[in-house]
Amino acid sequence: MTLPVLIVTIFLSLLKILVSCLPTDAVNWIISKIKIHSEISGGNAIVTFDGKRLEGEEKTQVINYVNGARFLKEKHIFPGNEELFLHPENSGTPLFIDTKRGKKDVRLFEYIYSNRVDVVKRYKKKLISYSLFSDSLQERSMPLIRNLV
């Protein structure tokens, strides 16, 4: 009986030491895999608003605003309610961002309100919805978006 307890104790001790001593790069890689609101790189992203592609400084500005936004909360999507999140009532025209995360194509639908930004992320056949807070995206980009309409 003491031998199995001793083996389990040694195994758990080694596991604890291994987990607590991971290099920073390994920890950042693990966190990036489970992160809901990951950063968007401007090189492979396509930003579209109302059927018009944003290019140059406008595109870079919108991507920087999205990357600088703070995560508020995740919203749970129940089966059958997907369309309510993709096309919410009184939301206006969404901002679309098409990008890649690894080998997967990701599409972000961003609905900008005065107090938050609702984001619906679609990749493969999965949908994830969450809210962001970004003063710059909510206030400064609204005239930019209104000029494009």
mmCIF file with all atom_site columns, all heavy atoms in Angstrom, residues 13-25:
data_model
loop_
_atom_site.group_PDB
_atom_site.id
_atom_site.type_symbol
_atom_site.label_atom_id
_atom_site.label_alt_id
_atom_site.label_comp_id
_atom_site.label_asym_id
_atom_site.label_entity_id
_atom_site.label_seq_id
_atom_site.pdbx_PDB_ins_code
_atom_site.Cartn_x
_atom_site.Cartn_y
_atom_site.Cartn_z
_atom_site.occupancy
_atom_site.B_iso_or_equiv
_atom_site.pdbx_formal_charge
_atom_site.auth_seq_id
_atom_site.auth_comp_id
_atom_site.auth_asym_id
_atom_site.auth_atom_id
_atom_site.pdbx_PDB_model_num
ATOM 1  N N   . SER A 1 13 ? 4.577  15.434 -7.412  1.00 0.00 ? 13 SER A N   1
ATOM 2  C CA  . SER A 1 13 ? 5.617  16.415 -7.104  1.00 0.00 ? 13 SER A CA  1
ATOM 3  C C   . SER A 1 13 ? 6.364  16.822 -8.369  1.00 0.00 ? 13 SER A C   1
ATOM 4  O O   . SER A 1 13 ? 6.632  18.010 -8.591  1.00 0.00 ? 13 SER A O   1
ATOM 5  C CB  . SER A 1 13 ? 6.605  15.847 -6.091  1.00 0.00 ? 13 SER A CB  1
ATOM 6  O OG  . SER A 1 13 ? 5.945  15.537 -4.894  1.00 0.00 ? 13 SER A OG  1
ATOM 7  N N   . LEU A 1 14 ? 6.698  15.857 -9.211  1.00 0.00 ? 14 LEU A N   1
ATOM 8  C CA  . LEU A 1 14 ? 7.373  16.170 -10.469 1.00 0.00 ? 14 LEU A CA  1
ATOM 9  C C   . LEU A 1 14 ? 6.470  16.980 -11.399 1.00 0.00 ? 14 LEU A C   1
ATOM 10 O O   . LEU A 1 14 ? 6.929  17.910 -12.072 1.00 0.00 ? 14 LEU A O   1
ATOM 11 C CB  . LEU A 1 14 ? 7.818  14.880 -11.165 1.00 0.00 ? 14 LEU A CB  1
ATOM 12 C CG  . LEU A 1 14 ? 8.981  14.138 -10.514 1.00 0.00 ? 14 LEU A CG  1
ATOM 13 C CD1 . LEU A 1 14 ? 9.222  12.811 -11.228 1.00 0.00 ? 14 LEU A CD1 1
ATOM 14 C CD2 . LEU A 1 14 ? 10.226 14.988 -10.531 1.00 0.00 ? 14 LEU A CD2 1
ATOM 15 N N   . LEU A 1 15 ? 5.191  16.643 -11.432 1.00 0.00 ? 15 LEU A N   1
ATOM 16 C CA  . LEU A 1 15 ? 4.237  17.397 -12.245 1.00 0.00 ? 15 LEU A CA  1
ATOM 17 C C   . LEU A 1 15 ? 4.134  18.841 -11.765 1.00 0.00 ? 15 LEU A C   1
ATOM 18 O O   . LEU A 1 15 ? 4.118  19.777 -12.571 1.00 0.00 ? 15 LEU A O   1
ATOM 19 C CB  . LEU A 1 15 ? 2.867  16.717 -12.217 1.00 0.00 ? 15 LEU A CB  1
ATOM 20 C CG  . LEU A 1 15 ? 1.781  17.363 -13.071 1.00 0.00 ? 15 LEU A CG  1
ATOM 21 C CD1 . LEU A 1 15 ? 2.148  17.246 -14.547 1.00 0.00 ? 15 LEU A CD1 1
ATOM 22 C CD2 . LEU A 1 15 ? 0.451  16.714 -12.802 1.00 0.00 ? 15 LEU A CD2 1
ATOM 23 N N   . LYS A 1 16 ? 4.103  19.049 -10.451 1.00 0.00 ? 16 LYS A N   1
ATOM 24 C CA  . LYS A 1 16 ? 4.019  20.397 -9.884  1.00 0.00 ? 16 LYS A CA  1
ATOM 25 C C   . LYS A 1 16 ? 5.256  21.205 -10.234 1.00 0.00 ? 16 LYS A C   1
ATOM 26 O O   . LYS A 1 16 ? 5.168  22.372 -10.619 1.00 0.00 ? 16 LYS A O   1
ATOM 27 C CB  . LYS A 1 16 ? 3.853  20.313 -8.373  1.00 0.00 ? 16 LYS A CB  1
ATOM 28 C CG  . LYS A 1 16 ? 3.773  21.660 -7.718  1.00 0.00 ? 16 LYS A CG  1
ATOM 29 C CD  . LYS A 1 16 ? 3.662  21.543 -6.230  1.00 0.00 ? 16 LYS A CD  1
ATOM 30 C CE  . LYS A 1 16 ? 3.700  22.946 -5.618  1.00 0.00 ? 16 LYS A CE  1
ATOM 31 N NZ  . LYS A 1 16 ? 3.820  22.899 -4.194  1.00 0.00 ? 16 LYS A NZ  1
ATOM 32 N N   . ILE A 1 17 ? 6.422  20.605 -10.130 1.00 0.00 ? 17 ILE A N   1
ATOM 33 C CA  . ILE A 1 17 ? 7.663  21.299 -10.464 1.00 0.00 ? 17 ILE A CA  1
ATOM 34 C C   . ILE A 1 17 ? 7.693  21.634 -11.954 1.00 0.00 ? 17 ILE A C   1
ATOM 35 O O   . ILE A 1 17 ? 8.063  22.745 -12.345 1.00 0.00 ? 17 ILE A O   1
ATOM 36 C CB  . ILE A 1 17 ? 8.887  20.452 -10.064 1.00 0.00 ? 17 ILE A CB  1
ATOM 37 C CG1 . ILE A 1 17 ? 8.991  20.391 -8.538  1.00 0.00 ? 17 ILE A CG1 1
ATOM 38 C CG2 . ILE A 1 17 ? 10.177 21.011 -10.660 1.00 0.00 ? 17 ILE A CG2 1
ATOM 39 C CD1 . ILE A 1 17 ? 10.017 19.405 -8.034  1.00 0.00 ? 17 ILE A CD1 1
ATOM 40 N N   . LEU A 1 18 ? 7.280  20.714 -12.778 1.00 0.00 ? 18 LEU A N   1
ATOM 41 C CA  . LEU A 1 18 ? 7.278  20.942 -14.224 1.00 0.00 ? 18 LEU A CA  1
ATOM 42 C C   . LEU A 1 18 ? 6.337  22.078 -14.618 1.00 0.00 ? 18 LEU A C   1
ATOM 43 O O   . LEU A 1 18 ? 6.696  22.958 -15.397 1.00 0.00 ? 18 LEU A O   1
ATOM 44 C CB  . LEU A 1 18 ? 6.886  19.661 -14.965 1.00 0.00 ? 18 LEU A CB  1
ATOM 45 C CG  . LEU A 1 18 ? 6.792  19.764 -16.480 1.00 0.00 ? 18 LEU A CG  1
ATOM 46 C CD1 . LEU A 1 18 ? 8.184  19.991 -17.065 1.00 0.00 ? 18 LEU A CD1 1
ATOM 47 C CD2 . LEU A 1 18 ? 6.156  18.536 -17.054 1.00 0.00 ? 18 LEU A CD2 1
ATOM 48 N N   . VAL A 1 19 ? 5.146  22.085 -14.058 1.00 0.00 ? 19 VAL A N   1
ATOM 49 C CA  . VAL A 1 19 ? 4.148  23.104 -14.403 1.00 0.00 ? 19 VAL A CA  1
ATOM 50 C C   . VAL A 1 19 ? 4.560  24.472 -13.880 1.00 0.00 ? 19 VAL A C   1
ATOM 51 O O   . VAL A 1 19 ? 4.360  25.489 -14.535 1.00 0.00 ? 19 VAL A O   1
ATOM 52 C CB  . VAL A 1 19 ? 2.759  22.701 -13.874 1.00 0.00 ? 19 VAL A CB  1
ATOM 53 C CG1 . VAL A 1 19 ? 1.777  23.841 -13.978 1.00 0.00 ? 19 VAL A CG1 1
ATOM 54 C CG2 . VAL A 1 19 ? 2.254  21.490 -14.624 1.00 0.00 ? 19 VAL A CG2 1
ATOM 55 N N   . SER A 1 20 ? 5.156  24.531 -12.702 1.00 0.00 ? 20 SER A N   1
ATOM 56 C CA  . SER A 1 20 ? 5.516  25.829 -12.120 1.00 0.00 ? 20 SER A CA  1
ATOM 57 C C   . SER A 1 20 ? 6.794  26.405 -12.717 1.00 0.00 ? 20 SER A C   1
ATOM 58 O O   . SER A 1 20 ? 7.098  27.570 -12.489 1.00 0.00 ? 20 SER A O   1
ATOM 59 C CB  . SER A 1 20 ? 5.652  25.714 -10.606 1.00 0.00 ? 20 SER A CB  1
ATOM 60 O OG  . SER A 1 20 ? 6.727  24.847 -10.285 1.00 0.00 ? 20 SER A OG  1
ATOM 61 N N   . CYS A 1 21 ? 7.530  25.642 -13.492 1.00 0.00 ? 21 CYS A N   1
ATOM 62 C CA  . CYS A 1 21 ? 8.800  26.111 -14.049 1.00 0.00 ? 21 CYS A CA  1
ATOM 63 C C   . CYS A 1 21 ? 8.790  26.181 -15.571 1.00 0.00 ? 21 CYS A C   1
ATOM 64 O O   . CYS A 1 21 ? 9.852  26.121 -16.193 1.00 0.00 ? 21 CYS A O   1
ATOM 65 C CB  . CYS A 1 21 ? 9.934  25.190 -13.594 1.00 0.00 ? 21 CYS A CB  1
ATOM 66 S SG  . CYS A 1 21 ? 10.171 25.186 -11.822 1.00 0.00 ? 21 CYS A SG  1
ATOM 67 N N   . LEU A 1 22 ? 7.626  26.307 -16.173 1.00 0.00 ? 22 LEU A N   1
ATOM 68 C CA  . LEU A 1 22 ? 7.575  26.393 -17.634 1.00 0.00 ? 22 LEU A CA  1
ATOM 69 C C   . LEU A 1 22 ? 8.189  27.705 -18.102 1.00 0.00 ? 22 LEU A C   1
ATOM 70 O O   . LEU A 1 22 ? 8.026  28.746 -17.463 1.00 0.00 ? 22 LEU A O   1
ATOM 71 C CB  . LEU A 1 22 ? 6.133  26.318 -18.116 1.00 0.00 ? 22 LEU A CB  1
ATOM 72 C CG  . LEU A 1 22 ? 5.468  24.958 -18.094 1.00 0.00 ? 22 LEU A CG  1
ATOM 73 C CD1 . LEU A 1 22 ? 4.005  25.101 -18.476 1.00 0.00 ? 22 LEU A CD1 1
ATOM 74 C CD2 . LEU A 1 22 ? 6.156  24.001 -19.038 1.00 0.00 ? 22 LEU A CD2 1
ATOM 75 N N   . PRO A 1 23 ? 8.881  27.690 -19.226 1.00 0.00 ? 23 PRO A N   1
ATOM 76 C CA  . PRO A 1 23 ? 9.424  28.942 -19.771 1.00 0.00 ? 23 PRO A CA  1
ATOM 77 C C   . PRO A 1 23 ? 8.292  29.869 -20.223 1.00 0.00 ? 23 PRO A C   1
ATOM 78 O O   . PRO A 1 23 ? 7.186  29.429 -20.521 1.00 0.00 ? 23 PRO A O   1
ATOM 79 C CB  . PRO A 1 23 ? 10.260 28.489 -20.967 1.00 0.00 ? 23 PRO A CB  1
ATOM 80 C CG  . PRO A 1 23 ? 10.210 27.022 -21.005 1.00 0.00 ? 23 PRO A CG  1
ATOM 81 C CD  . PRO A 1 23 ? 9.274  26.538 -19.964 1.00 0.00 ? 23 PRO A CD  1
ATOM 82 N N   . THR A 1 24 ? 8.585  31.142 -20.280 1.00 0.00 ? 24 THR A N   1
ATOM 83 C CA  . THR A 1 24 ? 7.596  32.150 -20.632 1.00 0.00 ? 24 THR A CA  1
ATOM 84 C C   . THR A 1 24 ? 6.994  31.895 -22.010 1.00 0.00 ? 24 THR A C   1
ATOM 85 O O   . THR A 1 24 ? 5.793  32.061 -22.211 1.00 0.00 ? 24 THR A O   1
ATOM 86 C CB  . THR A 1 24 ? 8.229  33.548 -20.589 1.00 0.00 ? 24 THR A CB  1
ATOM 87 O OG1 . THR A 1 24 ? 8.791  33.747 -19.294 1.00 0.00 ? 24 THR A OG1 1
ATOM 88 C CG2 . THR A 1 24 ? 7.209  34.632 -20.862 1.00 0.00 ? 24 THR A CG2 1
ATOM 89 N N   . ASP A 1 25 ? 7.810  31.508 -22.966 1.00 0.00 ? 25 ASP A N   1
ATOM 90 C CA  . ASP A 1 25 ? 7.300  31.246 -24.310 1.00 0.00 ? 25 ASP A CA  1
ATOM 91 C C   . ASP A 1 25 ? 6.277  30.112 -24.320 1.00 0.00 ? 25 ASP A C   1
ATOM 92 O O   . ASP A 1 25 ? 5.271  30.180 -25.022 1.00 0.00 ? 25 ASP A O   1
ATOM 93 C CB  . ASP A 1 25 ? 8.445  30.909 -25.268 1.00 0.00 ? 25 ASP A CB  1
ATOM 94 C CG  . ASP A 1 25 ? 9.334  32.103 -25.531 1.00 0.00 ? 25 ASP A CG  1
ATOM 95 O OD1 . ASP A 1 25 ? 8.849  33.239 -25.362 1.00 0.00 ? 25 ASP A OD1 1
ATOM 96 O OD2 . ASP A 1 25 ? 10.502 31.904 -25.912 1.00 0.00 ? 25 ASP A OD2 1
#
